[in-house]
């Protein structure tokens, strides 16, 4: 939307005369059409269809799809698994995002050091976890946190500490999943912060130095306020990604999120209801609920961002 | 709706899945080998009318020598297989059927068969090709598992999972237990006896006796003539005394500290089997191949004895032809050939998949078959006996989902996060929720 608005302003002023103005008025829409056509086919279309399915008792193979109105939504609000999945998802989100952001900020300010050698190597190395296939990462971490033979168990044993069955309780399961997320996304966020930090004018640091600010004060009083919009951007992307966490809990626990749903996330519940229990109507209702949850949280992020910018 | 990529598009990710958390497929090595052909096998049929390519989707690989033999005898036919993870292969099939893009031949496990049979119109009724005449050759109760209520024949049975107990002779000897299969089998006519032997073993060695409590539940609950549904299709999971008894025995085994708490088809299970963490395993015929592969160095340390209660069945699958799949006749001819006595015998020898044709149960080639990996145990005789007295139970469309709840419940007890009683209460409410809608 913003694209077409900012473009149209100069055109209506008649920069190039009347003949081309009609053409110019429509070309931008043609340019952006491929995206919107694809979005319609693979984004909005399925989204609306999911909404339609969620109002039915939907058998994938049968021809009859019984209309049940909002019954699936009613079932969802009364389903303790939904609330458990929501709690788990938020817990994993917080357990992973907060340390991930902190680590990324720390690493970025270290990399921002002008005297650092082999800069490209460090930056490339940071991105490696992010380009490693997710399934591989999950399987490796599952072995690392294996109850009987994992390296973590080996360390605990050699320190004469009690061995932990990481997959058994909700807390430990969520910690392991959060560690996988942190491993995967810290480097990515570091590079984004680093880019933002390098855009901070060096004059600001010079002033801070003249004023006698130490490293910590410089970081909190100069760097952080200057890269605040970038931090908000990463918070938004982490929110959207974090609420859809799926592969890690699926492979670390099971399609039901473990024996007691200790690793059950909203997306995993959605998947299990669709492809394990074959309740497509109910799964669609969960998908729509997830859409609204993400929408609300994104609006909150947006509001916070505006508040900060205006202050 | 978000459809996870790994379900729709079994590619490298799926292969990695197979490698990491392989479930129930007997031949995981073949899976990696065939992972590459998976992508090529996506479009059914072939451009040339004289040449027919049959795509088969499943979770256990076909025998390569048998496929080659068939292709040599039928020069116009090529058979391509796409092998995926156990659950994923059924989910892929389901979504493919819904979009009308199924394979020519689909392998469906007995656990999932109830759900697919409930949607019989999605498959070719094999009566069209005269499958009714095959019925008398197969185990009646297993054949009926592939027949829809309206009488249409959805699938031809490939194998049954006859049951037995595999035990480590070396570990039994150390614990002062007998090692001869007949003597060992005589130790446990009932499940209580089995658990009592386990208690002795654990007391003598301090090690574990079985892989999980749910293994006991699974084997014992399959021995009755009723399981989760009565003949009228009404759920009886909460009242069936056999379910309660099986649950009780599963919990008793856990409470007596017999269980190593390793779930089948996980890396932990593989490690436990390879390292001698458990002294016995409750083994369907097809699981023997899994042990041979995952624990090659335990060769000669195992033997096989009869299951408590003697009879049993776990697993086995069907071959079906999706509706509208091209070359249905050619697909049927191949299935008919593959599941004929000679080929079923070859599959038993090669892959330990136990035949569904009773005529083979008296064939000396079966009854005298021994397995060198398991100290030349008479696997033929033991598995024949385990399926012969088998009393089939009615299977409902939701049996698999109900079983999931019970297995999760015993998993919670095994992990020590719940007592047997409170876990049972939760299982009841979980099943009730799953049965709604």
């Amino acid at each position: 939307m913003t694209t077409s608005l900012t473009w149209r302003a100069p055109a209506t002023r008649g920069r190039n005369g009347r003949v081309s103005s009609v053409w110019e008025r429509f070309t931008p829409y043609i340019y952006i059409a491929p995206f919107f056509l694809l979005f319609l086919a693979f984004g909005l279309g399925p989204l609306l269809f999911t909404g339609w399915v969620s109002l039915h008792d939907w058998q994938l193979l049968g021809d009859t799809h019984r209309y049940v109105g909002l019954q699936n939504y009613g079932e969802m609000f009364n389903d303790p698994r939904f609330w458990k999945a929501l709690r788990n998802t938020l817990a994993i989100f917080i357990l992973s995002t907060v340390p991930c952001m902190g680590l990324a900020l720390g690493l970025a300010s270290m990399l921002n050091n002008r005297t650092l050698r082999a800069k490209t190597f460090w930056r490339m190395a940071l991105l490696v976890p992010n380009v490693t296939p997710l399934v591989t990462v999950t399987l490796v971490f599952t072995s690392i946190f294996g109850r009987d033979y994992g390296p973590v168990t080996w360390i605990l044993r050699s320190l004469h500490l009690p061995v932990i069955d990481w997959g058994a309780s909700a807390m430990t399961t969520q910690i392991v999943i959060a560690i996988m997320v942190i491993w995967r996304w810290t480097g990515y966020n570091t590079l984004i912060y680093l880019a933002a930090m390098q855009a901070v004018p060096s004059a600001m640091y010079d002033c801070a130095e003249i004023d006698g600010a130490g490293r910590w004060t410089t970081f909190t009083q100069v760097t952080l306020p200057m890269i605040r919009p970038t931090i908000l951007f990463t918070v938004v992307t982490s929110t959207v990604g974090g609420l859809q966490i799926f592969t890690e809990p699926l492979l670390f626990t099971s399609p039901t999120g473990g024996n007691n749903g200790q690793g059950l996330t909203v997306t995993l519940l959605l998947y299990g209801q669709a492809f394990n229990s074959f309740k497509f109507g109910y799964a669609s209702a969960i998908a729509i609920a997830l859409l609204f949850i993400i929408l609300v949280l994104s609006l909150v992020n947006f509001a916070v961002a505006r508040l900060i910018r205006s202050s | 709706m978000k459809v996870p990529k790994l379900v729709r598009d079994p590619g490298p990710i799926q292969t990695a899945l197979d490698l990491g958390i392989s479930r129930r497929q007997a031949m995981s090595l073949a899976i990696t080998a065939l992972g590459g052909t998976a992508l090529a096998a996506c479009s059914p049929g072939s451009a040339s009318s004289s040449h027919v390519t049959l795509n088969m989707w499943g979770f256990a690989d076909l025998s390569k020598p048998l496929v080659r033999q068939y292709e040599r005898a039928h020069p116009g036919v090529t058979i391509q297989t796409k092998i995926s993870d156990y659950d994923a292969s059924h989910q892929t099939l389901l979504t493919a059927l819904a979009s009308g893009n199924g394979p020519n031949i689909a392998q469906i496990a007995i656990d999932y068969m109830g759900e697919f049979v409930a949607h019989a119109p999605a498959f070719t009724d094999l009566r069209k090709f005269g499958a009714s005449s095959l019925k008398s050759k197969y185990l009646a109760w297993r054949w009926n598992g592939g027949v829809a209520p309206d009488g249409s024949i959805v699938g031809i049975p490939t194998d049954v999972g006859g049951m037995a107990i595999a035990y480590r002779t070396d570990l039994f000897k150390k614990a002062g237990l007998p090692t001869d299969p007949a003597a060992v089998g005589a130790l446990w006519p009932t499940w209580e006896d089995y658990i009592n032997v386990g208690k002795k073993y654990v007391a003598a060695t301090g090690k574990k006796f079985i892989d999980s409590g749910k293994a006991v539940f699974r084997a014992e609950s399959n021995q009755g003539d009723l399981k989760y549904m009565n003949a009228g299709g009404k759920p009886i999971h909460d009242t069936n005394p056999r379910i309660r008894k099986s649950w009780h025995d599963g919990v008793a085994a856990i409470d007596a500290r017999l269980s190593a708490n390793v779930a089948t088809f996980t890396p932990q299970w593989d490690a436990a089997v390879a390292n001698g963490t458990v002294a016995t395993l409750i083994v369907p015929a097809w699981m023997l191949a899994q042990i041979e592969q995952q624990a090659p160095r335990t060769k000669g340390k195992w033997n096989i004895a009869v299951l408590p209660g003697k009879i049993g069945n776990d697993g086995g699958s069907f071959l079906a032809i999706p509706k509208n799949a091209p070359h249905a006749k050619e697909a049927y001819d191949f299935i008919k050939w593959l599941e004929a006595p000679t080929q079923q015998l070859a599959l038993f020898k090669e892959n330990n998949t136990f035949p569904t044709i009773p005529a083979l149960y008296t064939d000396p080639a079966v009854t005298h078959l021994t397995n060198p990996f398991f100290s030349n145990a008479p696997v033929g005789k033991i598995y024949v006996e385990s399926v012969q007295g088998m009393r089939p139970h009615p299977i409902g469309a939701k049996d698999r989902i109900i079983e999931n709840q019970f297995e999760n419940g015993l998993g919670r007890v095994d992990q020590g996060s719940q007592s047997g009683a409170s876990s049972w209460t939760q299982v009841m409410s979980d099943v009730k929720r799953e049965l709604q809608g």
Side-chain angles (χ1 to χ4, degrees):
Chain A
M1 275 312 245
T2 26
T3 326
S4 62
L5 280 175
T6 47
W7 183 88
R8 204 190 295 180
T12 43
R13 276 186 222 121
R15 197 171 39 145
N16 290 329
R18 275 160 297 151
V19 184
S20 58
S21 76
V22 177
W23 172 241
E24 280 189 17
R25 189 169 289 187
F26 286 102
T27 35
Y29 295 106
I30 297 169
Y31 288 140
I32 60 168
F35 168 77
F36 281 98
L37 286 177
L38 286 172
F39 175 70
L40 214 64
F42 299 105
L44 194 63
L47 198 76
L48 294 175
F49 186 62
T50 305
W52 174 247
V53 171
S54 75
L55 301 175
H56 293 76
D57 176 12
W58 197 274
Q59 297 289 321
L60 200 53
L61 292 185
D63 295 327
T64 51
H65 306 303
R66 196 165 54 89
Y67 180 81
V68 294
L70 295 173
Q71 191 186 308
N72 284 323
Y73 292 91
E75 198 184 319
M76 182 177 76
F77 286 117
N78 289 317
D79 188 344
R81 288 171 307 181
F82 175 73
W83 299 109
K84 180 180 253 177
L86 204 58
R87 271 200 310 276
N88 288 349
T89 309
L90 290 173
I92 293 170
F93 168 64
I94 290 164
L95 278 173
S96 60
T97 308
V98 175
C100 180
M101 301 275 153
L103 272 171
L105 273 174
L107 282 169
S109 63
M110 273 160 70
L111 286 184
N112 200 23
N113 190 330
R114 267 163 248 181
T115 55
L116 189 78
R117 283 166 189 248
K119 276 183 186 155
T120 316
F121 170 77
W122 296 116
R123 288 176 197 176
M124 296 289 282
L126 276 172
L127 213 55
V128 169
N130 199 248
V131 295
T132 314
L134 189 49
V135 173
T136 321
V137 173
T138 311
L139 292 178
V140 168
F141 273 93
T142 304
S143 321
I144 290 175
F145 288 95
R147 182 197 56 188
D148 298 327
Y149 301 103
V152 173
T153 295
W154 182 78
I155 292 167
L156 289 175
R157 276 213 181 105
S158 54
L159 295 173
H160 300 287
L161 290 168
V163 167
I164 298 169
D165 186 356
W166 293 93
S169 81
M171 191 65 188
T172 50
T173 301
Q174 288 161 15
I175 287 174
V176 172
I177 293 169
I179 289 173
M180 294 183 208
V181 177
I182 294 168
W183 163 258
R184 192 169 158 77
W185 291 104
T186 301
Y188 173 83
N189 286 323
T190 303
L191 290 191
I192 292 178
Y193 291 152
L194 181 60
M197 285 176 187
Q198 292 188 332
V200 178
S202 57
M204 312 255 322
Y205 290 110
D206 296 339
C207 294
E209 211 178 328
I210 291 164
D211 288 347
R215 286 181 87 172
W216 178 250
T217 320
T218 314
F219 180 71
T220 52
Q221 300 299 319
V222 180
T223 314
L224 277 188
M226 290 303 287
I227 66 166
R228 203 151 46 189
T230 313
I231 295 176
L232 272 162
F233 165 75
T234 56
V235 169
V236 171
T237 51
S238 301
T239 312
V240 175
L243 291 178
Q244 298 185 64
I245 187 159
F246 172 72
T247 311
E248 293 92 338
L250 172 71
L251 294 185
F252 184 66
T253 61
S254 71
T256 52
N259 294 321
N260 206 14
Q262 61 267 43
L264 186 70
T265 60
V266 178
T267 337
L268 195 53
L269 177 67
L270 185 168
Y271 164 80
Q273 288 302 304
F275 293 99
N276 203 31
S277 300
F278 300 142
K279 290 180 171 178
F280 283 83
Y282 186 41
S284 300
I286 298 169
I288 296 293
L290 183 62
L291 172 78
F292 278 100
I293 293 165
I294 292 178
L295 219 60
V296 166
L297 283 176
S298 299
L299 283 174
V300 169
N301 278 329
F302 187 66
V304 172
R306 281 188 61 160
L307 209 71
I308 288 173
R309 230 172 266 155
S310 60
S311 70
Chain B
M1 180 163 45
K2 284 178 191 66
V3 179
K5 190 165 177 257
L6 60 94
V7 173
R8 277 226 176 133
D9 175 25
I13 291 180
Q14 189 57 55
T15 312
L17 260 171
D18 290 337
L19 283 169
I21 53 155
S22 67
R23 292 165 64 104
R24 201 158 315 188
Q25 74 273 31
M27 286 134 281
S28 59
L29 280 177
I31 289 157
T32 16
L34 275 155
T37 59
L39 292 172
C42 282
S43 58
S46 122
S48 146
S49 60
S50 63
H51 194 92
V52 172
T53 300
L54 297 176
N55 288 302
M56 188 181 131
W57 292 2
F59 52 91
D61 192 21
L62 281 175
S63 150
K64 272 187 191 162
L66 282 181
V67 168
R68 239 170 258 141
Q69 191 189 332
Y70 188 82
E71 287 175 340
R72 267 200 303 275
H74 302 80
V77 178
T78 306
I79 288 144
Q80 287 183 334
T81 45
K82 185 181 85 167
I83 305 302
S84 343
D85 183 49
Y86 176 76
D87 285 319
S89 80
H90 293 95
Q91 292 158 0
T92 316
L93 177 65
L94 184 82
T95 42
L97 289 176
S99 61
N101 288 313
N104 302 93
I105 303 168
Q107 183 194 20
I108 303 171
I110 181 69
D111 281 4
Y112 275 91
M113 202 56 187
E115 283 148 315
F116 283 101
V117 162
H119 295 290
F123 294 91
T124 304
D125 181 358
L126 300 180
R127 285 182 298 188
K128 194 165 99 181
F129 302 116
S132 308
S133 67
L134 299 178
K135 180 180 177 176
S136 58
K137 283 194 204 168
Y138 291 85
L139 272 179
W141 56 270
R142 180 43 66 108
W143 179 270
N144 291 335
V147 178
D150 67 353
S152 67
I153 297 170
V154 174
I156 307 285
T158 63
D159 66 310
V160 288
M163 299 287 283
I165 302 272
Y167 63 98
R168 286 281 295 263
T169 48
D170 55 336
L171 301 177
F172 266 46
K173 198 174 177 184
K174 273 187 206 157
L177 292 167
T179 56
D180 173 63
V184 170
L187 289 176
W188 49 60
T190 68
W191 288 99
E192 290 79 14
D193 298 325
Y194 178 68
I195 292 166
N196 284 332
V197 174
K199 284 180 187 165
K200 274 184 211 156
Y201 175 83
V202 172
T205 62
K207 292 165 95 177
K208 299 299 182 187
F209 192 61
I210 51 165
D211 52 351
S212 65
K214 64 185 168 197
V216 171
F217 173 82
R218 210 178 149 91
E220 192 179 354
S221 63
N222 276 331
Q223 287 178 323
D225 47 8
L226 286 175
K227 199 174 178 184
Y228 300 126
M229 298 285 158
N230 68 14
K234 288 267 182 308
I236 51 164
H237 59 277
D238 46 351
T239 53
N240 184 357
R242 176 161 291 274
I243 298 294
R244 275 182 189 271
K245 168 86 169 50
S246 311
W247 174 274
H248 174 265
D249 287 341
V251 171
I254 295 166
D255 288 347
R257 302 184 178 279
L258 308 189
S259 163
N261 183 22
V262 286
T264 335
F265 318 111
T266 61
Q268 289 85 343
W269 187 86
D270 298 342
V273 173
N275 296 341
T277 309
V278 290
T280 65
L281 288 169
I282 301 169
V283 281
W286 47 262
M287 201 189 266
L288 299 180
Q290 187 111 348
I291 299 173
E292 287 177 29
Q293 265 169 24
Q294 298 300 340
R297 278 196 263 168
T298 59
K299 183 177 180 178
K301 292 180 180 170
W302 296 92
N303 209 320
I304 296 176
V306 69
L307 185 76
K310 206 164 180 182
I311 54 161
N313 168 62
D314 186 3
S317 58
F318 294 82
L319 294 180
I321 302 173
K323 191 94 175 176
N324 305 328
H327 315 306
K329 177 77 180 92
E330 286 84 350
Y332 176 75
D333 288 342
F334 173 67
I335 294 174
K336 192 178 157 188
W337 177 84
L338 187 69
E339 303 311 335
T342 323
Q343 283 66 246
Q344 283 215 353
L345 180 60
L347 286 166
F348 182 44
K349 285 180 179 168
E350 193 186 337
N351 295 341
N352 297 300
T353 51
F354 193 74
T356 46
I357 297 177
L360 289 173
Y361 301 167
T362 51
D363 187 327
V366 170
T367 53
H368 290 152
L369 188 72
T370 57
N371 189 321
F373 190 93
F374 296 86
S375 311
N376 289 315
V379 285
K381 183 173 163 286
I382 290 173
Y383 283 111
V384 163
E385 284 173 3
S386 83
V387 296
Q388 265 184 338
M390 183 67 196
R391 291 168 296 173
H393 52 256
I395 294 175
K398 299 237 173 174
D399 270 27
R400 186 183 55 84
I401 304 290
I402 300 174
E403 180 106 341
N404 280 348
Q405 312 309 318
F406 276 95
E407 292 197 354
N408 276 345
L410 280 163
R412 292 192 293 272
V413 182
D414 232 336
Q415 281 175 339
S417 54
Q418 269 181 3
S419 71
S422 62
S423 182
W424 173 271
T425 313
Q426 187 179 330
V427 169
M428 290 303 116
S429 66
D430 286 350
V431 170
K432 196 178 163 196
R433 187 173 308 115
E434 288 290 349
L435 289 177
Q436 285 169 353

